[in-house]
């Protein structure tokens, strides 16, 4: 069972700063996650992959590394935990489709 109560808002902010410092490719490589497909964490006019950020935050808080398959990323997983910590997570914006004319 993942002990989300050990993760603080400060751990999440630390993970966000790590993402900004490393860039997406290196962050995913170092923390073992992939880009988001459904949701995005909104923070200071930027968008982040919520599952990857929460996974890294958990590692910072506990010194235990989680894999992507160790927890859910959607509404019952990372989205819920981040929301409880006061973060805004929303459905990922889809590029507008060009209409066929």
């Amino acid at each position: 069972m993942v002990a989300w109560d050990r993760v603080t808002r400060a751990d999440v902010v630390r993970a966000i700063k790590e993402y900004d410092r490393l860039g997406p490719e290196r962050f995913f490589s170092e923390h073992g996650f992939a880009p988001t497909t459904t949701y995005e964490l909104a923070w200071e006019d930027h968008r982040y992959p919520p599952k990857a950020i929460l996974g890294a935050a958990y590692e910072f808080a506990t010194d235990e590394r989680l894999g992507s398959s160790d927890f859910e990323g959607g509404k019952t997983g990372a989205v819920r935990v981040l929301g409880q910590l006061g973060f805004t997570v929303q459905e990922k914006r889809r590029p507008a489709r060009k209409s066929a004319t």
Side-chain angles (χ1 to χ4, degrees), residues 93-98:
R93 292 187 220 151
R94 304 272 185 232
R97 285 187 174 171
K98 292 183 180 179

Side-chain angles (χ1 to χ4, degrees), residues 7-28:
V7 178
T8 66
R9 187 172 172 86
D11 295 318
V12 175
V13 171
R14 181 178 170 197
I16 289 170
K17 290 180 179 179
E18 172 98 335
Y19 184 94
D20 287 341
R21 184 177 66 80
L22 296 177
E25 311 263 328
R26 192 162 157 216
F27 183 90
F28 296 139

Side-chain angles (χ1 to χ4, degrees), residues 4 7-24 27-28 31-36 39-43 46-61 66 68 71 73 78-79 81-82 85 87-89:
W4 293 123
V7 178
T8 66
R9 187 172 172 86
D11 295 318
V12 175
V13 171
R14 181 178 170 197
I16 289 170
K17 290 180 179 179
E18 172 98 335
Y19 184 94
D20 287 341
R21 184 177 66 80
L22 296 177
F27 183 90
F28 296 139
H31 293 281
F33 289 89
T36 186
Y39 294 97
E40 0 181 66
L41 167 63
W43 176 257
H46 295 285
R47 302 287 178 264
Y48 299 91
K51 189 172 184 180
I53 293 295
L54 186 59
Y58 187 84
E59 187 176 350
F60 293 147
L66 294 175
S68 184
F71 66 102
V79 172
V81 174
L82 290 165
L85 290 171
F87 291 94
T88 300
V89 181

